[in-house]
Amino acid sequence: MLIAQLSDLHVCPHGMLYHGVVDSNGALVDAIDHLLAMDRRPDLVLLTGDLVDEGRPEEYEYLREILLRLTIPFLLIPGNHDDRENLRTAFSDHRYLPAHGPLHYCVDDHPVRIIGLDSTVPGSHHGHVDPDGLTWLADTLAANTTKPTLLMLHHPPIVSGIDVMDQYRYVDGAGLRAVVERVGNVEIVLCGHVHRSMLTRWADTVLCACPSTVTEIDLRLSAGASPSSHAGPRGCMLHLWNERHGLVSHTSQIGVFDGPYPFV
């Protein structure tokens, strides 16, 4: 099974630019075309938050219009730029999304079980899951402790080293970590939020952050460094599951580059 991950789309109302400078809507079209042109088309696409820029109904309306181009099944979770209720309303036909409360869900229709965890805190930009959400996750994981499982949430529950992003990370991640550590079948934890690739060991598994389809937040590791971003490189993740060999994840850059050349 091949699972693609797109993150931090920041779709704006039709004709508007992200922060007034970047065409995030056109960038999403490019990302979708990138997936559709692959030599092996993904079986499923995961959209890991910040689907739109300000959580407005008209942004979700345009997001849905762009996603008509994506002829691959997809699952989504919210990020800190999303509005939970507007998202729920816009995607009411996505039956895996609960009708009330946080948008936690489990989809068990594939060789890999997919768990979506809503780490948004309405009105804030940091991430967290309340005790009820952690209980839901613990019960969901305990229901099957052998099937390979992929957990996705928007906010990485770790310190990245980028000060400006760590102010808005998933805070107090010890509770979440304890829940994930209880089981041994979480193959990977997928996040967005940081607008760049990032990889670490966490909770006895692997945590991986996905690039944004729009901008890359600059890797500025000095304490107190001013925030900055570039309009690229843009990318997505590809997670290849094989029953015999397990899960392998690849970063795939979106764009036009010289080549192909007849060598490896």
Side-chain angles (χ1 to χ4, degrees), residues 15-222:
M16 293 186 63
L17 301 177
Y18 175 56
H19 283 272
V21 294
V22 182
D23 182 8
S24 57
N25 301 337
L28 177 56
V29 171
D30 290 344
I32 292 171
D33 289 349
H34 178 74
L35 296 182
L36 296 178
M38 287 184 170
D39 66 330
R40 176 175 173 179
R41 182 170 291 193
D43 302 293
L44 180 68
V45 179
L46 307 179
L47 307 177
T48 49
D50 282 1
L51 309 176
V52 302
D53 195 42
E54 295 185 357
R56 294 153 60 181
E58 59 267 33
E59 291 176 322
Y60 290 112
E61 181 179 346
Y62 195 46
L63 171 64
R64 286 203 60 130
E65 182 178 329
I66 297 172
L67 288 174
L68 290 174
R69 194 181 192 93
L70 182 61
T71 55
I72 302 171
F74 63 90
L75 306 174
L76 48 82
I77 56 171
N80 52 291
H81 281 259
D82 290 301
D83 180 282
R84 182 184 292 162
E85 298 309 321
N86 288 341
L87 188 158
R88 193 195 323 264
T89 298
F91 290 91
S92 59
D93 56 326
H94 283 232
R95 300 304 183 190
Y96 58 87
L97 293 176
H100 307 284
L103 299 175
H104 309 317
Y105 61 85
C106 177
V107 173
D108 203 2
D109 303 331
H110 306 286
V112 177
R113 180 174 59 164
I114 312 287
I115 295 177
L117 198 60
D118 181 352
S119 62
T120 63
V121 179
S124 299
H125 282 291
H126 70 277
H128 189 63
V129 175
D130 64 18
D132 288 343
L134 293 180
T135 297
W136 174 88
L137 177 62
D139 291 344
T140 301
L141 289 171
N144 189 331
T145 58
T146 59
K147 185 170 182 177
T149 296
L150 186 158
L151 173 64
M152 60 173 176
L153 68 160
H154 181 68
H155 299 81
I158 61 166
V159 174
S160 70
I162 305 173
D163 276 0
V164 67
M165 295 307 299
D166 289 337
Q167 296 174 38
Y168 306 111
R169 70 184 188 277
Y170 185 110
V171 298
D172 191 21
L176 177 59
R177 181 175 190 141
V179 170
V180 176
E181 283 178 338
R182 288 177 205 158
V183 297
N185 60 325
V186 177
E187 294 286 328
I188 197 167
V189 178
L190 301 181
C191 303
H193 193 51
V194 292
H195 285 227
R196 58 182 305 113
S197 298
M198 192 171 65
L199 185 71
T200 188
R201 288 284 301 170
W202 180 80
D204 293 334
T205 185
V206 177
L207 184 145
C208 179
C210 182
S212 168
T213 58
V214 187
T215 57
E216 181 173 85
I217 291 175
D218 292 338
L219 186 60
R220 308 189 77 178
L221 299 176
S222 298

Side-chain angles (χ1 to χ4, degrees), residues 198-262:
M198 192 171 65
L199 185 71
T200 188
R201 288 284 301 170
W202 180 80
D204 293 334
T205 185
V206 177
L207 184 145
C208 179
C210 182
S212 168
T213 58
V214 187
T215 57
E216 181 173 85
I217 291 175
D218 292 338
L219 186 60
R220 308 189 77 178
L221 299 176
S222 298
S226 299
S228 63
S229 298
H230 280 79
R234 299 174 291 129
C236 62
M237 298 294 298
L238 297 168
H239 309 285
L240 180 62
W241 167 257
N242 180 282
E243 186 175 356
R244 179 180 177 186
H245 301 294
L247 187 74
V248 177
S249 296
H250 301 263
T251 300
S252 183
Q253 302 293 345
I254 299 168
V256 178
F257 309 99
D258 291 344
Y261 301 116

